[in-house]
Every structure is written in structure tokens, then in C-alpha cells.
Amino acid sequence: MDAANNPKPITDAERIDRLRLIRSDNVGPRTFRSLLDHFGSARAALARLPDLAQRGGASRAVRICSEQDARAELSASKKVGIHLLAPEEAGYPPRLATLDDAPPLLGVRGALDTLMRPMIAIVGSRNASGAGLKFAAQLARELGDAGFVIISGLARGIDQAAHRASIASGTVAVLAGGHDRIYPPEHEELLAQILATDGAAISEMPLGHEPRARDFPRRNRLISGAALGVVVVEAAQRSGSLITARMAAEQGREVFAVPGSPLDPRAAGTNDLLKQGATLVTQASDVINAVAPILERPVMLPLREDDDDPLQGDPNAGDRAQIIGLLGPSPVSIDDLIRMSGASPATVRTVLLELELAGKLERHGGGLVSLI
Amino acid sequence: MDAANNPKPITDAERIDRLRLIRSDNVGPRTFRSLLDHFGSARAALARLPDLAQRGGASRAVRICSEQDARAELSASKKVGIHLLAPEEAGYPPRLATLDDAPPLLGVRGALDTLMRPMIAIVGSRNASGAGLKFAAQLARELGDAGFVIISGLARGIDQAAHRASIASGTVAVLAGGHDRIYPPEHEELLAQILATDGAAISEMPLGHEPRARDFPRRNRLISGAALGVVVVEAAQRSGSLITARMAAEQGREVFAVPGSPLDPRAAGTNDLLKQGATLVTQASDVINAVAPILERPVMLPLREDDDDPLQGDPNAGDRAQIIGLLGPSPVSIDDLIRMSGASPATVRTVLLELELAGKLERHGGGLVSLI
């Protein structure tokens, strides 16, 4: 399906069901997709959750978000101008919708049109140098003039410089917490400016969610995933911007890096990215030329999992024990699990889903899973 | 022939003949090689020079260096410790000897052993930044510690920083003028230090030759040609260091560049080199790892031109006129000339040699020629 050109609204009832499912315990975006694909609807999946989690060995009853709570969140969101959008709806950034861990419902505030336009992410150090800030602003302005929306994390340093320079042309802030929990707080005014000028803010978190340290790497996948490519302007070694760059690479997005002196620790991360094959950026045309061929291809939503291969009704105890025995803290691929266990793909997938809903399994990118 | 392991001294008589030939009008390194290959010895070539130049249309008699002048240069050079070495002799940098425009006789002063060791060139801006100077010194020191000789151009800025930092481990200065015409003059003391500490200086120019602007690009090919690779530390756009980098690429040498901020004009040239595929350097290991596989291969001297295909005794006037008609100020390949003229390869090569000796033809790299 061409995500950008064929948006399709979902019903309010469906929205409530999906919200309940994603706000229930142990249901992340990947589990959500798996449940939806296999049970055909969020409502059917909700009905099966307690049973699946129990078979996966949940020590206590898994909390399921009530219809009342979902309605309350939806109405509170609406009141402050937040749409909770499904990947197939207009206003959900088309490239973000193609991720296998795309948020099932994305909290969107601001100009929906802007979110449908091609985006470039600009990210970098919070404690950036004057030169870094100046370059980020210059690049954001030139990319904005060339028709690209600038997406970033609303952080101090490079992020805010990129946002500010692209307010006139369109910019999108990606939040790690709820829409009412802006971090850092001193950027609330910047966000207001962005929203007042055809910009937008997006978050996958509910209202009231205070961003914690672990929410930022998770948020970073949305910055890279919504964009054609990520430009890292300044980054020390082991910095958050490098996580965004790694996610961009895993998502098949272009990775760009701005060079710097080997004696400048704020360039250590970007120079490393360049050694690993990132595209070197000294001017906007370096980015524009690299993404031009990608822009011409339609944005396709991923195919659903094969409907002809439904979940196993109830895997037998031997299969379940064997599959659990093959799992450990190191990620292993589902394909390997199927081969090594000798069980059917449907059985393996069912056992994994049970474990996941019991809070015992973690899904990684590339079809890898591990025990928590 | 493995140049590094089988050096072979030439006789004094042969040295005098070769010196006369290369110091004669219109004989450059490429013509020299062509003459030596086809006439078998410098002496035989000298005997043919007036005749060939006249047929090429020389307007006046071509000056041939006398035996007396050659003996005088040789003896004056010896007096100040300069060896005039042929490519096959010990002390002639083995990789330099492999160039098709290697100096037929190289003026060498200092430690011959050092000139036989693997070299890395470090070059860059004359008006370098403090960070550039510091990095050049650090890199030179680390490469020196790893066993590499540092070769550079004795210029202000990056060059002198690289030399100074590698005096203890071995460094080679390549001069654009004669050995007694040091540029800039204030680096005479640095050169004395280099020579006093197992370093060396090389030049293809005779004693007394004052370096002119056009001698520097010509000299740069010796810096890159003698080295495994060239590291450009800082370079503005259209700077001399970029000429050295281009020559390195044409010679099949590794090209390395140090990244810098897009806002720093002194990094514009190096960032451009990186965009063109140069290897990014932030530490010595980036260079060492890249040249390690090359170090393992023997250094081979190029084969002589085919002896079975001698020069044409006297091309007829029609052939000569036709070949001259095909030439112009834009470089054209000798292979194309042979095909387009329909003349034999021997005839084309003979006419080109005549034109060259008459001062009417310029040879470029890659078998290209043009009228002057």
C-alpha cells in the first residue's frame, strides 16, 4: 500500500480498541502488530490476552487497559489538540508508518500536512560548539528552503538550533514523554512557536508520561524512522545522537555526518560515523543529492504477516519447554528457533507471543528475541 | 625488478652521460626514458638529439649539456655531499623509482638508508591553524614510532610541523629548487637538523636552481611518488596540497585526509578529498591499517618500452604533417593518435619525440600529449 497517497481513517470504536491494546501490560508496538495480524482485530486480541499471558507463565494477572481509561485518554488528548492516529491515517508520517515497530497510535499535535511531507532529521550534541550550532542552523534553513521538513528531538544544543532555523519552512519535534511533559521545560516556548507556524509535535506516550532516561533512545527511532535520513552535526563518542544514527542505519535510512577536527571531542562521534560509511556533509546539497533518488520511490507499508499461517491454538507442553530452553539473554533469531526446535513456525510464534505478554520476552529488530 | 632489494650502481661514465642528457634542452624525465629505451644508452641518444630536434622543427639549435658542464655539476654536488643517483641505485627511494616520470638522476643528501625505508607523506596549508599543526605533529610522531619515514616539502605550516616531529625517527625533505637554494630560507636550520639526524633531502634540480612557482607542483609529484600514501592535514580549496593529493591518486598512492569543520575554510580542501573517496584520518592507525597490505607487496620498477619496436629512421613528410595536424593544445592519447593517423606506432612515437626535442610538445600522465 502506498502510505503517502492512500490514507484511510479508522473508526472511533477501532481507535478505542487499539488504544486499549497498546496501553495494556507487555504490549509493545511489535507485539501489537503480531496480535493484530493474527487475531484480525484489536478487539479479538484483547479477548485473548489474559489466556495467552497465563500460558506464558505470567506470575500475576496482566493489566488490560479498560475501555473507560482509553476513552478518557482519547478525550483528554482531543481537548489539547492531540490526534491519536493509526499508521494508515493522514497525518501519520508515511515513512514512520513503514517501521515494524511503528507506534500503533501516534499522538500528533499541529499541522498534519507538514507531517506528510518529506523530512530530514538533524540531531547532535546538547553541549554543541558555536560552530556546530551555526552549521546546524544553516543546514536546516537550506534544507527547509529546498522543501524538506526538519525533524529533531527538541533537545538543547543542535536539536533546538535546527528547529529554530526551520520554523518558517516547517519543523517537527519528537517528544520522549507525553505531550504535556516537555523536556527540557525551557523549550515549551519553542514548541509553542513551532506549533503556531505550521509545525508539529509527535509522541507515542500518553499524556502525563514523564520522560525517563530509557525513553530517549526509544524516542530516537521515531526521529530517524520518520525521516529520509539523519544528519548528525556534532556528537561525542557514545552519545545519544549515535544511537539515532545506528537506528537510522538499521531502518534503512540515510546516515549523514558533519566532519570535524580530530582534536575536537565533539567531532569524535561524527568522524567515526564517516569512517563507517556515513555520507559526509558540508552543505545542504550533499544531503539533497543523496536523498533525491529515494524521494522518487513510493513509500510502501510493510505487508502483514501471512494470514494463512494462524497462531497455534494451544502448543503442547513439550514444544513450549523446548522453545523456552533454546532462549536466553542473548538475542536469537526466530528463524533459528524454528529450525533448532523442529516445531512449526506457528507453534514457535505462539509460544513467543505468550512469553511476551507474560513480560518475559524482549523483541529486537531484525526478527531477534531474547529472554528478559 | 624488485627495486628495493636489488640496487645496482651505474658507472661514472654512464652517470655523466645521463646527466648530460637530462640537463639538455627539452629533455624531461619522460623523454629521457623514451630516448634511453630506444637508443639503448644516454650516449647514443645524445648523438641523435640535434638531428631529431631539427626534424621536429626546432627554430634554433637545441642546447646540449657538455661533458665539461656535467662533470662540473657532478663534482660540485659531491663537494657538498650530494649524490646524483639513478633509479636503480641504492638511496633512490624505491617507490619514486617506479614513476614513469621519475627523475633520471636524483640529487640526494643525507642518510641513504632512510630513503630506502617506507615513507608516508604529510602535507598541508602553509598558514595552518594551531589544531592543524598540533595534529600534524602528533600524527608524524606516531607514524615515526611505527617505523615510517615522514616525507614532506619543508614548507611553512603543516610541512615543517611534520618534519620537526619526525626528526628523531627519520624524515625526508623534498626541495623544489637546488640543494643550495632552500625555500623558505628560514628553514635552512631545520634542514640542517634533519640532515644531522639520519634524515635526508632530495631534489631533481641542479645546484643553483632558484625555485620558481611552477617548480612546486612539479616537486609535489616526488613527495607523493616516494610515499605509500599522502596525508593532507589542512588544505583550502585550490591549494598546493590538493595538487599533491591528485598526483598521489594518479600515481596509485593512497590518499588520506583529515576532516574539519565545514565552517573552517582550511578544511574545505580536505573535506572535498573525503567526499571524493580519500580515507578519513583521525589517528595514526587509520593510515597504518590502510597501507599494511601495500607494504607486503614488492616494489617493482616499470618495464622498459618494447625493444622490438625501434624508432622509425626518418618518418616521411606526409606522415609527419598528418600527425602534427591531429595535435592541438588539448591533451590527446598516443593510442588515439596512432589509430586516427593510420601511421605505425613507431612512426608516431618518432614524430612525437622530434616535436618534444624541438620544444613543441608536452607530455602529460597517462600517455597523453599536447602541443605547447
Side-chain angles (χ1 to χ4, degrees):
Chain A
M1 193 181 91
D2 183 335
N5 298 319
N6 298 304
K8 196 177 74 179
I10 62 173
T11 65
D12 272 356
E14 175 72 11
R15 200 179 314 276
I16 292 290
D17 288 344
R18 292 200 195 179
L19 188 56
R20 288 184 62 196
L21 189 56
I22 189 62
R23 296 290 188 240
S24 294
D25 274 2
N26 304 330
V27 179
R30 284 198 181 84
T31 322
F32 181 97
R33 162 159 296 177
S34 196
L35 288 165
L36 209 64
D37 284 352
H38 286 292
F39 295 109
S41 75
R43 172 150 304 188
L46 282 164
R48 295 290 308 280
L49 276 195
D51 178 38
L52 288 166
Q54 195 197 355
R55 290 208 316 246
S59 49
R60 53 186 179 79
V62 162
R63 192 194 57 82
I64 295 183
C65 172
S66 69
E67 188 172 327
Q68 196 185 350
D69 285 353
R71 285 199 186 279
E73 180 181 346
L74 201 61
S75 117
S77 298
K78 252 185 201 156
K79 226 173 266 172
V80 289
I82 299 162
H83 304 270
L84 289 169
L85 298 178
E88 58 266 48
E89 295 189 292
Y92 196 110
R95 277 167 213 281
L96 185 57
T98 67
L99 299 187
D100 64 357
D101 59 352
L105 287 173
L106 184 69
V108 165
R109 209 174 151 204
L112 301 192
D113 284 2
T114 300
L115 289 161
M116 300 301 276
R117 286 168 50 201
M119 302 189 195
I120 300 290
I122 299 180
V123 300
S125 302
R126 286 188 299 275
N127 63 337
S129 71
L133 294 172
K134 185 176 167 190
F135 183 80
Q138 185 179 308
L139 184 69
R141 204 171 299 116
E142 289 175 16
L143 290 173
D145 289 346
F148 293 97
V149 169
I150 302 303
I151 184 167
S152 192
L154 202 71
R156 298 186 183 101
I158 299 295
D159 285 23
Q160 58 83 24
H163 283 305
R164 283 183 211 280
S166 56
I167 285 182
S169 50
T171 191
V172 172
V174 186
L175 311 175
H179 276 280
D180 54 352
R181 293 291 186 275
I182 301 309
Y183 183 85
E186 68 265 33
H187 284 174
E188 277 177 23
E189 202 182 316
L190 171 59
L191 181 59
Q193 259 187 288
I194 290 173
L195 295 172
T197 327
D198 272 344
I202 61 177
S203 167
E204 64 180 323
M205 294 302 185
L207 279 174
H209 182 90
E210 198 70 55
R212 298 148 302 176
R214 68 170 190 204
D215 291 326
F216 289 89
R218 179 180 169 159
R219 180 274 313 263
N220 291 355
R221 86 186 195 286
L222 306 184
I223 298 178
S224 53
L228 288 150
V230 174
V231 185
V232 185
V233 176
E234 271 186 346
Q237 241 135 6
R238 282 178 297 279
S239 67
S241 307
L242 298 186
I243 297 177
T244 312
R246 184 167 50 77
M247 285 174 170
E250 285 173 8
Q251 293 164 343
R253 304 298 184 256
E254 297 298 302
V255 180
F256 301 94
V258 178
S261 163
L263 299 180
D264 182 354
R266 284 176 287 212
T270 52
N271 286 340
D272 265 358
L273 287 175
L274 292 170
K275 286 185 192 176
Q276 291 159 35
T279 300
L280 190 143
V281 175
T282 60
Q283 51 197 9
S285 62
D286 296 326
V287 177
I288 296 168
N289 294 340
V291 302
I294 311 169
L295 264 179
E296 287 166 15
R297 297 198 291 267
V299 182
M300 306 298 282
L301 287 182
L303 295 176
R304 290 169 159 244
E305 283 181 35
D306 192 347
D307 286 324
D308 295 341
D309 185 20
L311 291 180
Q312 176 77 12
D314 186 2
N316 69 51
D319 281 342
R320 184 177 287 119
Q322 197 205 1
I323 293 164
I324 294 173
L326 289 168
L327 287 164
S330 299
V332 60
S333 87
I334 298 175
D335 287 346
D336 283 346
L337 279 177
I338 292 169
R339 216 184 45 249
M340 292 186 291
S341 67
S344 74
T347 300
V348 171
R349 279 213 301 276
T350 306
V351 171
L352 294 180
L353 194 57
E354 292 168 358
L355 290 171
E356 206 173 356
L357 292 171
K360 300 189 165 180
L361 189 91
E362 188 174 0
R363 282 187 197 264
H364 311 267
L368 299 176
V369 292
S370 66
L371 286 185
I372 290 169
Chain B
M1 193 181 95
D2 183 334
N5 297 320
N6 298 305
K8 196 177 76 180
I10 62 173
T11 65
D12 272 355
E14 175 72 9
R15 199 178 316 274
I16 291 290
D17 288 343
R18 293 198 193 182
L19 189 56
R20 288 184 63 196
L21 189 55
I22 189 62
R23 297 291 188 238
S24 293
D25 274 2
N26 305 328
V27 179
R30 284 199 181 83
T31 322
F32 182 97
R33 164 159 294 180
S34 196
L35 288 166
L36 209 63
D37 283 354
H38 286 293
F39 294 110
S41 74
R43 174 152 300 191
L46 283 164
R48 295 292 306 279
L49 276 195
D51 178 39
L52 288 165
Q54 194 196 354
R55 290 207 315 246
S59 49
R60 51 184 181 79
V62 161
R63 192 193 57 83
I64 294 182
C65 173
S66 69
E67 189 173 325
Q68 196 185 351
D69 284 354
R71 286 199 184 280
E73 181 181 344
L74 201 60
S75 119
S77 298
K78 253 185 202 159
K79 225 173 267 173
V80 288
I82 300 162
H83 304 270
L84 289 169
L85 297 179
E88 59 265 49
E89 296 189 291
Y92 196 111
R95 277 167 214 280
L96 186 57
T98 67
L99 300 187
D100 64 358
D101 60 352
L105 287 173
L106 185 70
V108 164
R109 209 174 150 202
L112 301 192
D113 284 2
T114 300
L115 289 161
M116 300 301 276
R117 285 168 51 200
M119 302 190 195
I120 300 289
I122 298 180
V123 300
S125 301
R126 287 188 299 275
N127 62 337
S129 71
L133 294 172
K134 185 175 167 190
F135 183 79
Q138 185 179 307
L139 184 69
R141 203 172 300 115
E142 287 174 18
L143 289 173
D145 288 347
F148 293 96
V149 169
I150 301 302
I151 184 166
S152 193
L154 203 70
R156 298 188 182 98
I158 299 296
D159 286 22
Q160 59 81 25
H163 283 304
R164 283 185 211 280
S166 55
I167 284 182
S169 51
T171 191
V172 172
V174 187
L175 311 174
H179 276 278
D180 54 352
R181 293 292 185 274
I182 300 310
Y183 183 86
E186 68 265 34
H187 284 174
E188 278 177 22
E189 201 181 316
L190 170 59
L191 181 60
Q193 258 186 290
I194 290 173
L195 294 172
T197 326
D198 271 342
I202 62 176
S203 168
E204 65 180 321
M205 293 306 185
L207 279 174
H209 181 90
E210 198 71 53
R212 298 148 302 178
R214 67 171 192 204
D215 292 326
F216 289 90
R218 179 181 168 158
R219 181 274 313 263
N220 290 355
R221 85 186 197 286
L222 305 184
I223 297 178
S224 53
L228 288 150
V230 174
V231 185
V232 185
V233 175
E234 272 186 347
Q237 240 136 7
R238 282 177 298 280
S239 67
S241 307
L242 298 186
I243 298 177
T244 312
R246 185 168 48 76
M247 284 174 171
E250 286 173 8
Q251 292 163 345
R253 305 296 184 257
E254 297 299 303
V255 179
F256 300 94
V258 178
S261 163
L263 300 180
D264 182 353
R266 283 176 288 213
T270 51
N271 285 341
D272 266 358
L273 287 175
L274 292 170
K275 286 184 191 176
Q276 290 160 35
T279 300
L280 191 143
V281 175
T282 60
Q283 50 197 9
S285 62
D286 296 326
V287 177
I288 296 167
N289 293 340
V291 301
I294 311 169
L295 263 180
E296 287 165 14
R297 297 197 292 267
V299 181
M300 306 299 282
L301 287 183
L303 295 175
R304 290 170 158 243
E305 283 181 35
D306 193 346
D307 284 326
D308 295 341
D309 186 18
L311 292 181
Q312 175 76 11
D314 186 1
N316 70 50
D319 281 343
R320 185 177 287 122
Q322 198 206 0
I323 292 164
I324 293 173
L326 288 168
L327 288 164
S330 300
V332 60
S333 86
I334 298 175
D335 287 346
D336 283 346
L337 279 177
I338 292 169
R339 214 182 47 247
M340 292 185 291
S341 67
S344 74
T347 299
V348 172
R349 277 214 302 276
T350 305
V351 171
L352 294 179
L353 194 56
E354 292 169 358
L355 290 170
E356 206 174 356
L357 291 171
K360 299 188 165 181
L361 190 92
E362 189 176 356
R363 283 186 195 264
H364 311 269
L368 299 176
V369 293
S370 66
L371 286 186
I372 290 169

